[in-house]
């Protein structure tokens, strides 16, 4: 029996994406906004970061669409990468290994047992003599992957040209436009990586396996969803709070301002980690009491993730709120607001039509910056044991499981490296994107921050 | 003076608010019954055992209002009063495990501070130096690369800095012990690595911030005037730019003060240093709510003291700021 399953965080994440999509739909005819977003994408780092973010979002989105078949819930991503999911070894194995990590007792053909490294069940299974054939095989499959990647890239180029209404013959022109070089380079590396993964991952453990034999590449891919859900959903909980408190406080002043100031000083005076820890502990207890309400381990872990998003969102609004308040206080005395007031515009309309759009760039930039902070926070919180559920794939859990394994001989470094790259890619992209956005949206800083690129 | 008193009085409602938050989190969301069950184990627990546990820890009182007690006892004989008013006297009481929290905190302060203070000083020195250098070279390729490097540094989880530091410095190069702590002068050997790691992991964000601060100053008119007068480079830097950038720098320092106290959370627990950070982590992991409550209170107290110090240092650094007006 096949039926779609939607977990609470899936709903939250997908609807957040929908909201972002709606935003772009809404501003598609706004010339100023179009120009600004074009500037963001035309900045080399900004455009490259946007591509990488899109890749992450696509993976996470695929991981959010689940179906239940015969009592087993799997996401679309699980089906796409099913060889990775199913190739489970017994324990650690290095990237591209054909033999296990530790010696085992292997019964020999003549009945005498010997101590040796066992062949892996799946890694390099198709080779009869891995030590001799492996290099050639990896090289061959690597070439095939590169070819496939180039094919992807060609398709992408053709598609872009088609959309821009250029003839197919001109499809190599974008590469010569120097401003778009980094973006195309990023697209090319993404295509190449995709090609390699498709050609190599079914036959080798490209990033090794972890303690219980799961493919690290699979874990890394699954972790993308956890990190993104945490960052995106928490941000979307933060936004309304900061806006509802911050903008009126700055505009009205008086007792409203006093109250909001009191609220955010109180909240921000509690050290962040402790506040999150306290709230997470309390919610955890609450969940434990209602454990029977969740039918499966997956639903329970998911509820815990949602609770964590809630906690991070409820504790994270003070920074943006303070910024908004200060900005609105400056805007309050601007001519256009005074004019609106003089014309008898009701306060609510001033807030929504004049102040909100004029502080929107601030909201966008701060949200993207906070997002990267949230992704980093996940690892730390998981280390302190108040983060995501241990049964859920996340970068924090990967680090936690592998941090003591560097002490082994030989060191088990691949899990850490994979988590490191996965996190760095996402956070760096978000930071660079926020930078590009600031340059494009904040005219005051346009000259100051990147004089060389303009 | 009156200003100081006013600020201190202003801090009281904030601390009260902090107490309300922790109270709601620990006693309203979770009843003391749950906490008792948590500590005594989920199953095989008798009502009597729960009652005993609650009584020993003083959690058997009503939450906000005690109808049975007489006079002011209505308010004072409650969990909220007992738990929050005592904190204002800096009396932290006993942990759920039965230890004296105040004593623990005093003892663990020394290792914590001996990491936090060197980190603060070295970080400040390095980030100001780098920030100035980058601001002067603005627009050059070097500036662009260093800024990019800073963003990359910001994007790396502090956990990786610690893990990499421990692996490279302690295991591969064997320059310092991996973790541990000893009293007295011995401790220096153990502190070098955590301090180094923490400085490095904070450098990216700080240099970037200082760069923007200095850039804002460099483009001002008075700096151009100073150049035009033919002052030397070091003169313009130290006498003009640095002094005017002091205010934003001070703010960042004070904002990081409580952060240092907590930033050591992870570092301390990784390096097995018996400071306040690892104390808190242990409390969180063993779910000792009394300690977590005490640390929340202490942390917010430090933050508020920090805010006050910022205002006072503003007046010291910039004669135009008058305290009475703020």
């Amino acid at each position: 029996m096949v039926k779609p399953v939607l977990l609470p965080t899936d709903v939250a994440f997908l609807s957040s994406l929908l909201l972002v999509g709606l935003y772009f739909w809404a501003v598609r005819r706004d010339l100023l906004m179009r120009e600004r977003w074009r500037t963001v994408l035309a900045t080399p780092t900004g455009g490259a970061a946007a591509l990488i973010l899109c890749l992450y979002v696509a993976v996470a989105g695929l991981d959010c669409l689940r179906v239940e078949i015969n009592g087993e819930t799997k996401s679309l991503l699980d089906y796409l990468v099913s060889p990775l999911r199913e190739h489970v070894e017994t324990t650690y194995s290095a990237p591209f290994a054909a033999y296990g990590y530790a010696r085992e007792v292997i019964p020999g053909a003549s009945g005498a047992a010997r101590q040796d490294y066992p062949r892996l069940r799946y890694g390099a299974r198709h080779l009869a003599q891995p030590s001799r054939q492996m290099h050639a095989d990896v090289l061959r499959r690597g070439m095939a992957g590169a070819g496939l990647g180039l094919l992807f890239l060609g398709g992408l180029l053709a598609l872009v040209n088609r959309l821009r209404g250029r003839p197919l013959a001109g499809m190599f022109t974008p590469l010569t436009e120097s401003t778009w070089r980094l973006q195309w380079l990023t697209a090319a590396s993404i295509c190449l990586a995709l090609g390699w993964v498709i050609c190599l991952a079914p036959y080798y453990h490209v990033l090794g396996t972890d303690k219980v034999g799961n493919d690290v590449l699979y874990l890394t891919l699954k972790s993308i969803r956890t990190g993104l859900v945490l960052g995106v959903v928490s941000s979307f909980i933060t936004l309304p709070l900061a806006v509802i408190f911050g903008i009126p406080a700055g505009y009205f002043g008086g007792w409203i301002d006093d109250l909001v100031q009191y609220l955010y000083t109180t909240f921000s005076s509690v050290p962040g980690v402790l506040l999150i820890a306290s709230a997470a502990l309390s919610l955890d207890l609450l969940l434990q009491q209602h454990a029977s309400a969740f039918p499966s381990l997956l639903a329970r872990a998911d509820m815990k993730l949602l609770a964590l998003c809630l906690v991070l969102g409820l504790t994270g609004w003070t920074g943006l709120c303070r910024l908004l308040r200060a900005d609105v206080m400056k805007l309050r005395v601007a001519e256009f607001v005074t004019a609106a007031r003089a014309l008898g515009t009701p306060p609510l309309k001033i807030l929504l039509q004049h102040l909100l759009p004029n502080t929107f760039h601030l909201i966008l930039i701060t949200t993207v910056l906070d997002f990267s902070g949230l992704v980093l926070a996940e690892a730390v919180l998981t280390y302190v044991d108040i983060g995501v559920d241990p049964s859920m794939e996340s970068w924090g859990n990967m680090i936690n499981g592998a941090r003591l394994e560097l002490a082994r001989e030989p060191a088990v470094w691949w899990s850490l490296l994979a988590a490191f790259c996965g996190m760095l890619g996402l956070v760096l992209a978000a930071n660079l994107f926020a930078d590009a956005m600031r340059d494009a949206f904040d005219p005051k800083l346009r000259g100051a921050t990147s004089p060389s690129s303009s | 003076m009156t200003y100081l008193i006013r600020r201190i009085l202003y801090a009281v409602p904030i601390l009260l608010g902090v107490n309300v938050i922790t109270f709601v989190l620990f006693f309203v969301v979770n009843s003391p019954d749950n906490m008792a069950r948590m500590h005594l184990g989920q199953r095989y627990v008798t009502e009597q055992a729960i009652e005993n546990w609650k009584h020993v820890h003083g959690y058997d009182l009503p939450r906000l209002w005690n109808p049975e007690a007489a006079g002011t006892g209505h308010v004072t004989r409650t969990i909220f009063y007992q738990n929050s008013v005592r904190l204002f006297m800096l009396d932290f009481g006993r942990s759920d495990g039965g230890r004296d929290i105040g004593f623990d905190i005093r003892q663990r302060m020394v290792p914590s501070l001996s990491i936090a203070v060197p980190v603060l000083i070295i970080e400040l020195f390095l980030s100001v130096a780098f920030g100035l250098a980058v601001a002067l070279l603005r627009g050059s390729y070097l500036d662009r690369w260093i800024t990019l490097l800073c963003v990359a540094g910001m994007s790396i989880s502090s956990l990786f800095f610690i893990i990499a530091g421990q692996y490279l410095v302690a295991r591969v190069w064997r320059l310092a012990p991996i973790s541990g702590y000893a009293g007295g002068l011995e401790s220096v050997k153990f502190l070098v690595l955590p301090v180094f790691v923490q400085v490095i992991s904070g450098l990216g964000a700080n240099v970037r911030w200082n760069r923007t601060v200095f850039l804002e100053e460099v483009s001002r008119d008075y700096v151009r005037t100073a150049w035009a007068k033919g002052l030397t480079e070091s003169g313009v830097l130290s006498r003009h730019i640095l002094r005017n950038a002091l205010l934003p720098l001070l703010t960042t320092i004070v904002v990081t003060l409580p952060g240092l106290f907590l930033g050591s959370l992870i570092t301390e627990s990784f390096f097995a240093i018996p400071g306040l950070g690892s104390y808190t982590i242990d409390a969180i992991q063993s779910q000792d709510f009394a300690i977590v409550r005490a640390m929340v209170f202490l942390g917010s107290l430090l933050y508020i003291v920090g805010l006050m110090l910022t205002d006072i240092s503003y007046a010291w650094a910039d004669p135009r700021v008058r305290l009475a007006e703020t």
Side-chain angles (χ1 to χ4, degrees), chain B:
Chain B
M1 203 56 220
T2 47
Y3 169 77
L4 261 187
I5 293 170
R6 226 178 53 221
R7 279 309 295 257
I8 291 170
L9 284 180
Y10 182 62
V12 171
I14 292 177
L15 286 175
L16 207 63
V18 170
N19 269 324
V20 171
I21 295 176
T22 45
F23 176 77
V24 167
L25 282 177
F26 286 116
F27 294 105
V28 179
V29 178
N30 292 292
S31 68
D33 279 14
N34 291 335
M35 269 192 254
R37 223 165 269 139
M38 177 110 215
H39 268 266
L40 299 169
Q42 288 286 328
R43 281 169 219 166
Y44 315 118
V45 142
T46 59
E47 281 303 303
Q48 189 56 41
I50 291 180
E51 285 306 314
N52 277 342
W53 189 88
K54 272 159 60 182
H55 186 73
V56 169
H57 293 95
Y59 294 153
D60 55 346
L61 299 166
R63 283 173 185 160
L64 271 176
W65 184 255
N66 191 343
E68 286 160 27
T72 53
H74 276 317
V75 182
T76 54
R77 297 279 302 150
T78 57
I79 295 180
F80 180 66
Y81 185 84
Q82 294 278 330
N83 271 296
S84 56
V85 174
R86 260 203 343 231
L87 286 176
F88 277 99
M89 309 291 148
L90 289 183
D91 169 15
F92 297 108
R94 292 191 168 276
S95 71
D96 289 349
R99 291 176 59 89
D100 182 0
I101 299 178
F103 177 74
D104 275 352
I105 288 179
R106 272 191 296 281
Q107 220 177 22
R108 282 162 172 269
M109 231 161 64
V110 181
S112 270
L113 284 178
S114 54
I115 290 190
V117 173
V119 167
L120 179 68
I121 295 169
I122 299 173
E123 181 93 69
L124 186 67
F125 178 74
L126 284 182
S127 61
V128 167
F130 277 118
L132 262 182
V134 178
L136 283 180
L137 297 170
R138 66 190 180 283
S140 67
Y141 270 98
L142 195 67
D143 170 39
R144 211 146 139 212
W145 281 106
I146 290 184
T147 319
L148 205 64
L149 212 64
C150 286
V151 181
M154 281 165 66
S155 310
I156 296 174
S157 171
S158 54
L159 292 179
F160 284 113
F161 280 113
I162 297 175
I163 294 174
Q166 273 187 332
Y167 183 70
L168 285 180
V169 179
R171 183 166 294 279
V172 178
W173 299 330
R174 298 189 184 281
L175 292 177
I178 288 185
S179 65
Y181 185 75
L185 272 180
E186 275 286 281
S187 64
V188 174
K189 177 172 88 183
F190 289 100
L191 291 178
V192 171
L193 185 56
V195 167
F196 173 71
V197 165
Q198 230 182 321
V199 167
I200 296 284
S201 70
L203 209 55
N206 280 318
V207 169
R208 219 166 90 93
W209 169 251
N210 287 346
R211 176 180 171 272
T212 39
V213 168
F214 290 133
L215 269 187
E216 213 159 279
E217 294 298 328
V218 165
S219 54
R220 292 271 168 88
D221 287 342
Y222 73 88
V223 177
R224 202 178 310 138
T225 316
W227 290 117
K229 282 197 303 188
L231 287 186
T232 57
E233 195 155 330
S234 57
V236 178
L237 278 186
S238 58
R239 299 266 302 278
H240 293 83
I241 298 178
L242 204 53
R243 268 196 81 170
N244 279 287
L246 211 56
L247 275 192
L249 285 185
L250 274 174
T251 326
T252 42
I253 296 171
V254 177
V255 166
T256 50
L257 274 183
L260 277 180
F261 161 82
L262 287 161
S264 322
L265 263 184
I266 312 298
T267 316
E268 280 180 16
S269 120
F270 256 95
F271 289 100
I273 285 159
L276 287 176
S278 51
Y279 187 54
T280 317
I281 293 219
D282 290 346
I284 292 172
Q285 279 170 346
S286 64
Q287 313 219 325
D288 194 324
F289 297 105
I291 296 178
V292 177
R293 276 202 305 275
M295 295 311 283
V296 167
F297 185 80
L298 196 65
S300 37
L301 191 69
L302 282 177
Y303 179 82
I304 291 166
V305 171
L307 279 186
M308 258 190 269
L309 286 180
T310 328
D311 287 350
I312 295 168
S313 57
Y314 269 15
W316 166 74
D318 186 347
R320 284 171 304 182
V321 177
R322 299 264 303 276
L323 286 179
E325 288 162 9
T326 47

Side-chain angles (χ1 to χ4, degrees), chain A residues 108-423:
Chain A
S110 56
R114 63 198 164 86
Q115 282 264 335
D116 205 353
Y117 296 104
R119 264 308 286 274
L120 291 179
R121 254 183 284 174
Y122 297 99
R125 183 174 49 163
H126 58 293
L127 301 178
Q129 285 173 309
S131 50
R132 239 190 294 157
Q133 300 166 326
M134 193 137 112
H135 283 102
D137 189 62
V138 169
L139 204 65
R140 201 162 48 81
R141 289 182 194 281
M143 296 291 266
L148 196 62
L150 286 179
L151 213 64
F152 283 146
L153 189 66
L156 195 69
L157 272 167
L159 190 74
V160 169
N161 275 311
R162 193 66 190 272
L163 288 179
R164 284 180 167 184
R166 285 193 209 158
L168 204 64
M171 74 184 243
F172 292 104
T173 43
L175 282 170
T176 56
E177 275 176 36
S178 65
T179 44
W180 291 85
R181 209 183 318 164
L182 189 64
Q183 287 90 321
W184 279 109
L185 217 60
T186 314
S189 11
I190 290 176
C191 287
L192 276 183
L194 261 177
W196 272 323
V197 165
I198 289 173
C199 287
L200 283 170
Y203 304 99
Y204 297 97
H205 295 293
V206 179
L207 292 175
T209 54
D210 75 345
K211 190 168 190 168
V212 288
N214 287 319
D215 193 285
V216 172
L217 178 62
Y218 174 66
L219 293 180
T220 316
L221 286 176
K222 293 285 280 181
S223 303
I224 289 176
R225 175 184 175 268
T226 313
L228 267 178
V229 163
L230 204 74
V232 171
V233 176
S234 308
S235 303
F236 270 88
I237 297 171
T238 311
L239 275 181
L241 281 173
V243 169
I244 289 172
F245 284 130
I247 293 185
Y251 181 70
F252 292 115
W255 66 269
I256 298 181
D257 191 22
D258 286 339
L259 187 73
V260 170
Q261 268 199 62
Y262 170 72
L263 266 181
Y264 75 60
T265 319
T266 307
F267 264 94
S268 56
S269 78
V270 183
V273 183
L274 282 183
L275 187 58
I276 294 165
S278 320
L281 274 182
S282 296
L283 281 176
D284 205 28
L285 260 181
L286 209 67
L287 281 184
Q288 272 182 23
Q289 276 191 296
H290 302 284
S292 54
F294 305 110
S296 64
L297 209 63
L298 188 67
R300 212 178 99 83
D302 191 72
M303 207 57 212
K304 209 172 156 187
L305 182 64
L306 192 67
L308 193 64
C309 291
L310 208 68
V311 169
L312 285 172
L314 290 180
T315 52
W317 56 273
T318 50
L320 181 56
C321 179
R322 195 190 302 247
L323 281 177
L324 280 178
R325 175 180 162 268
D327 210 46
V328 170
M329 274 170 83
K330 265 185 252 162
L331 284 176
R332 183 173 58 168
V333 289
E335 281 93 352
F336 69 96
V337 179
T338 321
R341 213 170 16 219
L343 287 171
T345 319
L348 194 66
K349 205 172 168 194
I350 294 184
L351 291 188
L352 288 177
Q353 274 198 340
H354 295 286
L355 294 176
L356 188 60
N358 275 293
T359 49
F360 207 75
H361 67 281
L362 203 65
I363 299 177
L364 277 177
I365 296 163
T366 317
T367 307
V368 179
L369 277 180
D370 283 352
F371 166 83
S372 54
L374 286 166
V375 176
L376 289 180
E378 186 265 331
V380 171
L381 291 178
T382 307
Y383 168 71
V384 193
D385 242 3
I386 48 178
V388 297
D389 198 79
S391 70
M392 187 170 250
E393 300 89 351
S394 85
W395 289 312
N397 278 329
M398 282 172 75
I399 298 169
N400 232 0
R403 72 190 160 87
L404 293 176
E405 307 297 348
L406 273 182
R408 287 190 175 220
E409 198 61 49
V412 178
W413 46 267
W414 43 89
S415 284
L416 280 176
L417 185 78
F420 172 77
C421 292
M423 270 175 103

Side-chain angles (χ1 to χ4, degrees), chain A residues 40-41 44-56 186 190 429-430 432-433:
Chain A
V40 172
L41 295 182
T45 48
L51 274 176
I52 293 175
L53 284 180
C54 283
L55 183 72
Y56 273 91
T186 314
I190 290 176
L432 290 177
F433 192 63

